[in-house]
Amino acid sequence: IKALEQAIVLSPVNPIGLMQKSILLEKTENIDQAMSDMEQAVFYWPEEVNWRVRAAKLSESLGNIETSIDQLEEANKILPEDESNTILLGKAYLQSGNLRKCIDILEPLAKENSSQYELWEILTEAYSEIGDNASALKAAENASEINPFSTKPYLMSGRILLENGDYSKALEYAKAAVTRNNKEVDTILFLARALLRKGEKRQALAALEMVNNCPNTSVKSMIEHVNLVKEINGNASAKDLIENISSKYPENMDLLKLLAKVQEETGSRYEAEQTIQRALRIDADEPELHIMLGKINADNGQLDQAVDHLSKGVTRKSSSLDGYLTLSKSKGLIGDSVH
């Protein structure tokens, strides 16, 4: 890197040197500077499509999807026949929520019966998001034909069918996905949800036992697991599960909020209060926690504390009607006690 920096000092207009330096910086996880150098290299040689694609991927890794789209759009103008770059642009549109652009740029490839699996996967999601379920199911079918071992097309199709109330067909797709991969947490959770919608609670609980054998479970999937257990078996079972999970991730706010909610709903109000206080030490500005704690304070007759926490909560989350109602009631009770 130092050698390249010296070469760039001697010859500032050095796009190849900047590009090579960017690659090395990315390997050292200095993504910000890698992105800066890549953009400068592209500025000097704007017709280099591969450089623009590289800059787009660096932008995406930094969370700047709009800059990524700008680079991919320019790459697509320079080389419109490059199918892989067109798919990357369609994916970026999907990630940014620009569904119509995503579909418009990928449909011409679809009409050519592209054998690119990712194309159909992206189109499935985009069609589903705009409510075109027939096209989404067709795209998912094409994806599964190209890669019959992938579970994602089955999951996407199954979710559409589940939303449409076709529980039997959704369960069929869920079972097909599990047959292909029974150690993928999203697949197991979807099977449990499909079984639940069919009214097969015992089988749904049995399916959830398989989650314990799934590697790489995310906090999001753990929360879905808890919510399913809660829906199937009630708050008491969910409380034991969420307490166990939360102990492994003691500073995760989503888990702490869910734990406090379940504790409160099972009548463990003191435990819920302690959990919320612990969470507020991590993030003192979290509005939902202040509203939850304010409601517990109000129920306990601690009106001054209730007003304090509810005021903080609704100030930061003005859409909380329940918070406003409890705040108003608490202030009224304080007024009555003064008189």
Side-chain angles (χ1 to χ4, degrees):
I1 293 173
K2 286 182 178 179
L4 286 168
E5 286 175 343
Q6 290 172 354
I8 292 166
V9 168
L10 294 172
S11 178
V13 182
N14 188 346
I16 293 177
L18 287 163
M19 182 271 294
Q20 291 173 332
K21 182 185 165 200
S22 173
I23 292 171
L24 293 174
L25 286 167
E26 185 184 5
K27 289 179 180 177
T28 64
E29 298 186 358
N30 188 347
I31 306 299
D32 282 308
Q33 189 57 51
M35 179 61 202
S36 176
D37 286 343
M38 200 68 244
E39 283 187 321
Q40 197 173 350
V42 168
F43 175 78
Y44 291 131
W45 283 6
E47 299 300 309
E48 282 291 329
V49 170
N50 290 337
W51 292 12
R52 286 193 177 275
V53 172
R54 182 173 180 78
K57 290 178 178 178
L58 287 168
S59 294
E60 183 187 352
S61 68
L62 290 169
N64 192 342
I65 194 66
E66 294 304 325
T67 300
S68 180
I69 287 172
D70 290 342
Q71 292 288 0
L72 290 170
E73 284 179 337
E74 289 303 316
N76 190 252
K77 289 176 187 174
I78 299 165
L79 201 62
E81 65 274 17
D82 190 316
E83 191 172 283
S84 60
N85 289 344
T86 302
I87 292 172
L88 282 175
L89 179 55
K91 185 177 181 180
Y93 284 142
L94 177 66
Q95 290 172 332
S96 69
N98 200 329
L99 303 173
R100 193 66 259 170
K101 277 192 172 182
C102 170
I103 292 167
D104 287 346
I105 200 164
L106 293 184
E107 274 188 339
L109 293 183
K111 289 173 183 176
E112 295 171 7
N113 295 316
S114 171
S115 59
Q116 292 271 11
Y117 168 82
E118 194 174 17
L119 163 69
W120 295 110
E121 186 180 286
I122 295 165
L123 277 174
T124 300
E125 194 168 342
Y127 285 135
S128 180
E129 287 289 327
I130 66 168
D132 186 351
N133 291 333
S135 295
L137 287 168
K138 180 61 179 172
E141 183 182 327
N142 288 334
S144 62
E145 286 175 1
I146 294 167
N147 185 358
F149 299 103
S150 175
T151 61
K152 198 164 184 179
Y154 292 94
L155 292 178
M156 290 188 291
S157 297
R159 288 183 180 120
I160 293 167
L161 292 163
L162 203 65
E163 289 172 9
N164 290 345
D166 192 344
Y167 300 149
S168 296
K169 194 71 174 175
L171 181 56
E172 183 183 321
Y173 275 86
K175 288 178 177 178
V178 171
T179 300
R180 283 155 179 79
N181 190 341
N182 63 4
K183 294 188 182 299
E184 186 177 76
V185 67
D186 288 343
T187 303
I188 302 303
L189 291 172
F190 181 67
L191 173 62
R193 187 163 294 284
L195 286 164
L196 178 59
R197 290 293 173 268
K198 280 278 290 177
E200 300 176 15
K201 289 188 176 183
R202 186 178 299 177
Q203 293 92 325
L205 280 172
L208 287 174
E209 291 295 320
M210 296 167 66
V211 170
N212 299 324
N213 300 321
C214 297
N216 305 321
T217 55
S218 65
V219 170
K220 182 181 176 183
S221 64
M222 290 176 192
I223 290 172
E224 186 178 353
H225 185 187
V226 171
N227 284 327
L228 277 166
V229 170
K230 183 179 174 183
E231 194 173 344
I232 297 166
N233 230 20
N235 283 325
S237 295
K239 180 172 176 284
D240 293 339
L241 179 60
I242 189 63
E243 282 177 345
N244 180 48
I245 295 172
S246 185
S247 67
K248 298 174 184 175
Y249 303 90
E251 295 194 357
N252 185 278
M253 293 299 289
D254 290 329
L255 288 172
L256 287 170
K257 283 190 284 187
L258 182 58
L259 174 59
K261 185 177 180 182
V262 170
Q263 287 171 331
E264 200 272 334
E265 288 174 350
T266 53
S268 303
R269 192 166 289 170
Y270 176 75
E271 290 181 11
E273 188 173 352
Q274 294 301 303
T275 298
I276 295 169
Q277 293 285 12
R278 179 155 54 97
L280 284 172
R281 285 194 288 273
I282 298 168
D283 184 357
D285 295 323
E286 172 54 53
E288 289 181 46
L289 292 171
H290 281 291
I291 291 170
M292 288 172 67
L293 185 54
K295 289 168 69 178
I296 292 172
N297 292 150
D299 289 340
N300 290 339
Q302 301 165 309
L303 299 178
D304 288 333
Q305 294 97 315
V307 169
D308 178 48
H309 285 292
L310 288 166
S311 297
K312 289 176 181 175
V314 298
T315 298
R316 296 174 174 87
K317 188 179 180 181
S318 59
S319 61
S320 176
L321 178 60
D322 195 26
Y324 274 113
L325 290 172
T326 309
L327 176 59
S328 177
K329 183 179 178 181
S330 299
K331 284 183 175 179
L333 290 171
I334 289 174
D336 290 342
S337 66
V338 170
H339 293 301

